[in-house]
Each structure stands twice: as structure tokens, then as C-alpha cells.
Amino acid sequence: MRDEPIDLATALAGFDQLWSPRIVTTVNDYDVRVAKVAGEHVWHVHEHTDEFFLVLDGELRIALRDGTGEREVVLPRGGVFVVPRGVEHRPSAPQGASILMFEPSGTSSVGDRHEAVPEHVDATTGHAL
Ligand code: NI
């Protein structure tokens, strides 16, 4: 938690690395994280937590695999989506995007299970701003 307001635009302007979430603040035992993204993330699953996404800029796509097959949700700027725990997902942003995530502190960006993590994806529990 911080005792001064945080400007998200300034926070986002402070780093360039893609798929590398920065922790903006915490709420109880949850992180508010922002990330710049472009291209594809990696298929992964969080076994024990839902994951909240809000698109701050651009368009985010989230491919989902569940018992019934594969689908993709498309989130424009302002779009909100929650990936339920246990559901395999792969975010992507063909044109690039800035996103905000809300999830328990310590949650790995590549989940508890994942495919091979490509070079451009940062496997992290979030970095300080
Ligand atoms: Ni995830």
C-alpha cells in the first residue's frame, strides 16, 4: 500500500519490458499489477486463484481452454475479464496493449503449470515499480 496517489500513465511510462508485470500497489493480500504486452504470452493455468484483467489501452485477447474446447475473448480498452482458477489461458495482443491485473501477491505470471516459457515472457511474481 502507498500513502500517495499513483498515476497509472506515469507508472507505465517508467518501464518498457513486455510481459513483465509491475506491482502498482497492494490491497490486503492482493497485488494490483500493470503490464505492457505485445504478441503472445504462454499457455498456463493458475490452479488456486482467479485472475482479473482490465485493459487500459489497446486490445487484449485471452485464449481459453476448458472442458468444452478452446475459445478466445477479445477485450477492448476498458474491457474487464476474469479467468477462473484452473482454466488454461494464453493472453495475446497482436497490436500491443497495456493491462491491469488483480491477483493474490505471489501469483506467478506463468501460473502453476505452463508450456515452455519463450524468451520474451518474464516468469515473475511481479516487480516493484
Ligand atoms: Ni494467468
Side-chain angles (χ1 to χ4, degrees), residues 95-108:
Q95 310 299 324
S98 296
I99 62 176
L100 181 148
M101 287 159 293
F102 187 63
E103 55 199 332
S105 299
T107 299
S108 168

Side-chain angles (χ1 to χ4, degrees), residues 58-114:
E59 179 186 271
L60 182 72
R61 296 165 175 263
I62 306 176
L64 302 159
R65 284 179 185 153
D66 57 22
T68 60
E70 191 171 317
R71 69 187 179 109
E72 186 174 66
V73 294
V74 179
L75 285 71
R77 178 178 181 161
V80 163
F81 189 76
V82 175
V83 176
R85 68 190 67 189
V87 172
E88 271 190 290
H89 56 287
R90 185 195 60 200
S92 67
Q95 310 299 324
S98 296
I99 62 176
L100 181 148
M101 287 159 293
F102 187 63
E103 55 199 332
S105 299
T107 299
S108 168
S109 61
V110 296
D112 305 300
R113 286 189 289 114
H114 54 79

Side-chain angles (χ1 to χ4, degrees), residues 3 9 11 18 28 37-39 43 49 55-56 58 66 70 72 78 102 105 125:
D3 58 4
L18 298 174
N28 296 316
V37 302
W43 281 105
T49 182
V55 178
L56 301 173
D66 57 22
E70 191 171 317
E72 186 174 66
F102 187 63
S105 299
T125 55

Side-chain angles (χ1 to χ4, degrees), residues 44 46 51 89:
H44 66 279
H46 306 277
E51 189 168 44
H89 56 287

Side-chain angles (χ1 to χ4, degrees), residues 6-59:
I6 298 150
D7 180 67
L8 285 181
T10 302
L12 285 162
F15 65 99
D16 288 321
Q17 192 178 358
L18 298 174
W19 298 116
S20 183
R22 298 309 199 257
I23 299 169
V24 172
T25 190
T26 58
V27 182
N28 296 316
D29 51 356
Y30 273 63
D31 290 346
V32 177
R33 304 179 186 175
V34 293
K36 291 177 173 175
V37 302
E40 288 189 351
H41 197 255
V42 62
W43 281 105
H44 66 279
V45 59
H46 306 277
E47 302 284 13
H48 306 295
T49 182
D50 302 342
E51 189 168 44
F52 171 97
F53 291 87
L54 163 66
V55 178
L56 301 173
D57 197 21
E59 179 186 271

